[in-house]
Each structure stands twice: as structure tokens, then as C-alpha cells.
Amino acid sequence: MDTDTILRLVREVPDHDGFPLVDDLHARFDVLAAAHPDRVTVTRIGTSRLGEPLNAYRIGSGSHAAVVVGGVHPNEPIGSWTALHLAETMLGDDPAVRDLDVTWHIVPTIDPDGMRLNEAWFHDPHDRVFYSRHFYRPAPDSQVEWTFPNSYKSVYFDQVLPETLAFMRLIDDTEPDLLVSLHNGEMGGVYYYLSEDLPDVIDVLHAVPAALGLPLDTGEPEAPYLRELAPAVFAMDGTEQAYDWLEELGVDPGEHIHGASSAAWALRHGALCMVAELPYWSHPDADDQTPTDESYADLLRRCADELGRSGVELQEVLDQASPMLTIDTPFLEGSRAFIPMLAATPETDRARADREPADRMATVAERFGCEDLVRCFRLRYGGMLLRALEAETTAGTASAPLRRLRDRLAERYALWQADAVTEAAPIPVRKLVGVQYGAILACASHVSDATTASSTSGPALAGSTRPGGS
């Protein structure tokens, strides 16, 4: 499939208002399966922690297996529409799509329990304040994406979740040539993770957002140790590189690294792995490479101090509230995991700031990325802590001191919300889906074409910390 065809297909993605609720998403896939009983096979791969069946939908009969899984982080629902659009087009009449030599195994959402806790904002994903106030993200050891088995130096992790076990089983049963874990970010521009340095794929990954009028995110990367293959395209190196970087920095890696990712598991089968990270909101500073008058080291220290102060404030509220809390909600579990991480993260940023050249000026994109990370994390985890406290006030179990503590946090949170109002512009959902869909097609086409070429001309290409990141 050539680039022009991929760009045509991404421009044809229909628009949507918001994101589908879990029941609606499952119903849509079941309608597809019922309408095409000879072309769709539904297989139950597991059960969620709250008893939800986890199904994979097999479409096509190509010689290359592709696994596409949504909801790996339940606050990232762009992939819900992407998974559905992929299934619909693979069952459609466009020969360019149907001729891909791929068998698709699509999981609409692998964490339906967690996704339900975000549904309050799905109808209006463009309001960042509303989104953050109703945000939920599982604690790291309760995230499907980051609870695959891991053993490296001092880290040993085997607390595999039921949903992760289902994901592992699907990967092992299909031995995929391609794995796409459907993620998204929040603010800025488009960026990707890719398990191989593939210039033909990277060219398309750049062309797709450009065709849709979306910027690449060329500012501060999600983690400072990432290897950049091309602008806004990072190598999917795994936890080993993160561990070694933290160790060399003098920070205990065991405090930051636990489970491995789905990509690490799929690489055992030689899969090409790809993640497309999309923002809900774009900002003109996201790809502005103009130097500022602030050194990069000073920027790191300034944002580390601000994030640390926010983490201390939230920790104080959590510590005071804990003896009065009687309901052990997922919001409380997440707060107890993420808030201490907010307070600890500045140590890492200050340590790496000391190693930066004093005369290296930060770019506008880097300044925006660092400053918005502070806004993002205190909105996310302040909102989750508020939800934990409100579980008590709503249930009628909150004492008077707990209600006052909740009111105090709400006042502080309102100031953070006001600070988060920027020039950010909401992005039409069809463009976000288009980027993920185009990236999937680019990788699927590469997998098919590389193997076809190998049969005639030689060997094919083989598969070669921050809290709450993708």
C-alpha cells in the first residue's frame, strides 16, 4: 500500500462526537460480527477483574497476524474509534484495504473496568478542565500495559493481572508479525514509538499528521533516556534502558520500574511493535524550535521545583485524609501510588539538570513540554484524589474534618484548573483516529511487503519515568 493510498484512507475517516462508552463499543463490534458471521470470529481471551468478558475479533485470512488492542490505559479512548474503524474498513469493499495480507486480531478495550471510570468525560473530551476533574488512571501495578513479566537486574515482576494474562495469551497464540497497542497523550503534538528503525514506515508516520494539519511533538520527550529515530519517532527500547539510565544517574531504578510492556512480550515472537501517541489538544508551541532565554538546565530545575511543591501539597492532603477514609476505591489506590511519585520525580530531574551544559538554551517546545507536564500531573492526580474523597462524601460516610479537607483541596484544585487554560485548541476526533489508522496501515503494509520481498530478493527485516506516561 503506497503513501498516497494511506493518505486517502486517513482523510476518509468519519468524524465523531466524543468517544463511545464501553457498552456501546462492545455492542458495535457485536453488530459487525453478527452482520459478517463468515468473516468475523469472536474469541473470548479472558475476563476482567470485575467479571467483564474480554473478546478478540479476528478478521481476514492473511498470512501475517496483527494484534491491535485498545484501552491499555483506560483514560486513552481514541483507540476505541480506531479499532472500530479498522474493523469496519477491513470488512468493507475497498480493495486497497482488503488486499493487505493480514489477519487482524482486534480487542476493543482490554481494561473495560478502568475505562468505565473515565466515561463521565467521554461526551466532551475537548474540555481539559472537565476531563481532568473526571480523570482516572490505574496505579502502575494495576495497568494492563505495564504488568507484563519483567526480570532485569534488581527488578523482578510477576504480578500479572487477569487482563494482562489475556493479552499475553493472545500474543502467544497468534505469534504476531505486528503489535499495535492503542495509546494517546493529552496535549501538544503527535509522536510515535517504533521497535525498528524503518525509514519507509517513518516517512509515512510523518506524512499522515502533516496531511491532517497536525504538528509533530518535537519538544520534551516523554522520558529523557528515549532514543530518537527521527523527529517525534522514538525507539521502543524497553525497561532495560530506563533501568540503566536511572542507575547511572544515581537514582534507585527499583522505585520507578516494575512490570514490562506488551511490546516486550511481543518482541519475543519477532513482532514489529508500534504506538502512535495523539493529543486531545494541540498547541502552537509543541513543535516550535526557537531558542528561549532560559537554559535547559534551569528549565528542568524550575519545573521540578514546581512539580515537587504540588506533590507535597497533595501528599499532605492524602496523609491527613487517610485515617478518615473507609472506602477503598480505585481512585484512592491510584492516589496512593501516583502522589508519592510526584514528590519523588523532581529528584531525577534535578540530577539530570546538573549534567546539562549551562549554555544550552531550551527551545520553546521544550519549555512548553516541561511546563505542561506540571499542569498535566497535578490536574490528573489532584482530580483523582478529589474523586477518592468524594466517594466518602457521596456515600455519606465522610466526617466533618474530611469534608473540610475535601473543600480545601477543591479550592486549590480550582487554581490549578485556571492555570491550565492556555491557547490549546481541541483536535477533531476524526484526525486523531486518522493518525492511528494511518500508522497501523503503514506498519501492516511494511510487514506484508518486507516478507514478500524476502521471498525473491533476500532476508526480510526482523524484529529487532515519568509517572503516568504512556
Side-chain angles (χ1 to χ4, degrees):
M1 184 181 292
D2 60 31
T3 302
D4 288 342
T5 300
I6 293 174
L7 297 183
R8 171 181 66 81
L9 291 167
V10 302
R11 292 189 182 103
E12 293 173 355
V13 172
D15 205 2
H16 299 281
D17 292 326
F19 300 107
L21 305 184
V22 172
D23 288 342
D24 180 39
L25 178 63
H26 288 166
R28 289 171 182 262
F29 267 87
D30 288 340
V31 166
L32 275 182
H36 304 276
D38 56 332
R39 299 177 59 195
V40 180
T41 301
V42 185
T43 302
R44 182 166 175 171
I45 59 172
T47 307
S48 77
R49 280 159 283 178
L50 294 181
E52 187 92 20
L54 302 173
N55 292 330
Y57 295 79
R58 189 183 73 203
I59 300 171
S61 56
S63 59
H64 304 281
V67 170
V68 179
V69 178
V72 286
H73 284 140
N75 61 296
E76 300 176 2
I78 293 172
S80 296
W81 285 131
T82 304
L84 183 63
H85 185 71
L86 176 66
E88 289 174 339
T89 53
M90 293 306 152
L91 293 168
D93 297 324
D94 193 320
V97 174
R98 291 184 58 177
D99 287 350
L100 283 171
D101 186 21
V102 173
T103 298
W104 301 91
H105 302 267
I106 304 172
V107 180
T109 174
I110 195 68
D111 186 5
D113 304 338
M115 187 167 278
R116 292 183 193 282
L117 298 180
N118 282 284
E119 288 184 337
W121 58 266
F122 279 11
H123 71 285
D124 187 13
H126 298 313
D127 185 335
R128 189 183 193 185
V129 169
F130 186 77
Y131 159 84
S132 302
R133 186 62 181 81
H134 300 277
F135 172 91
Y136 168 70
R137 188 179 181 95
D141 287 355
S142 293
Q143 294 179 12
V144 178
E145 180 65 280
W146 289 107
T147 49
F148 283 75
N150 192 21
S151 178
Y152 184 69
K153 294 186 178 180
S154 69
V155 169
Y156 186 85
F157 183 89
D158 61 359
Q159 300 171 38
V160 176
L161 304 174
E163 297 89 342
T164 311
L165 182 61
F167 199 167
M168 291 168 59
R169 186 182 298 120
L170 178 62
I171 291 172
D172 288 343
D173 287 348
T174 60
E175 298 184 348
D177 297 296
L178 173 63
L179 171 72
V180 179
S181 184
L182 293 169
H183 287 263
N184 63 258
E186 290 185 7
M187 172 75 79
V190 175
Y191 63 101
Y192 305 90
Y193 293 101
L194 199 60
S195 62
E196 300 177 37
D197 188 355
L198 304 174
D200 61 322
V201 173
I202 291 172
D203 286 346
V204 182
L205 298 185
H206 284 163
V208 169
L212 296 172
L214 299 182
L216 295 175
D217 196 320
T218 56
E220 186 73 357
E222 193 170 10
Y225 51 80
L226 292 173
R227 236 177 358 108
E228 191 175 65
L229 303 177
V233 182
F234 299 97
M236 198 177 286
D237 284 328
T239 58
E240 294 84 359
Q241 183 176 357
Y243 186 108
D244 291 345
W245 180 82
L246 288 167
E247 187 176 48
E248 197 272 335
L249 201 63
V251 176
D252 181 7
E255 295 182 2
H256 299 269
I257 297 173
H258 303 281
S261 69
S262 59
W265 196 257
L267 285 170
R268 297 160 66 250
H269 299 289
L272 170 64
C273 302
M274 187 275 295
V275 167
E277 295 276 10
L278 299 314
Y280 299 119
W281 314 283
S282 66
H283 195 282
D285 289 351
D287 62 346
D288 188 340
Q289 297 303 302
T290 306
T292 68
D293 58 1
E294 181 178 27
S295 74
Y296 183 64
D298 285 346
L299 171 67
L300 289 176
R301 294 188 186 99
R302 175 169 63 82
C303 290
D305 290 345
E306 190 170 356
L307 183 63
R309 285 192 294 271
S310 299
V312 168
E313 287 184 74
L314 290 173
Q315 188 67 57
E316 288 175 353
V317 173
L318 179 59
D319 289 344
Q320 292 177 41
S322 288
M324 298 180 278
L325 296 173
T326 63
I327 304 175
D328 193 16
T329 63
F331 313 117
L332 180 57
E333 179 192 22
S335 296
R336 285 174 169 160
F338 285 119
I339 289 173
M341 292 172 70
L342 288 190
T345 295
E347 174 193 0
T348 302
D349 287 341
R350 293 188 191 104
R352 68 188 182 97
D354 292 341
R355 303 187 177 200
E356 291 291 335
D359 59 351
R360 205 279 252 184
M361 295 295 107
T363 66
V364 171
E366 288 171 334
R367 182 180 63 190
F368 171 76
C370 286
E371 291 177 347
D372 199 67
L373 193 72
V374 176
R375 290 189 286 266
C376 168
F377 284 167
R378 66 190 186 188
L379 283 175
R380 279 183 172 194
Y381 305 122
M384 280 219 310
L385 182 55
L386 270 172
R387 294 186 76 178
L389 302 188
E390 287 172 346
E392 301 278 350
T393 58
T394 301
T397 57
S399 63
L402 184 59
R403 290 198 304 272
R404 288 193 292 270
L405 194 60
R406 182 266 170 208
D407 292 343
R408 191 182 95 195
L409 177 57
E411 289 179 6
R412 183 59 173 154
Y413 191 74
L415 297 177
W416 291 342
Q417 288 177 312
D419 180 59
V421 177
T422 65
E423 303 172 55
I427 301 173
V429 174
R430 66 175 178 81
K431 292 188 176 184
L432 303 175
V433 175
V435 172
Q436 278 189 335
Y437 180 58
I440 291 170
L441 295 179
C443 291
S445 180
H446 172 85
V447 167
S448 296
D449 292 348
T451 305
T452 300
S454 72
S455 65
T456 58
S457 60
L461 290 169
S464 26
T465 42
R466 292 182 179 272
S470 299

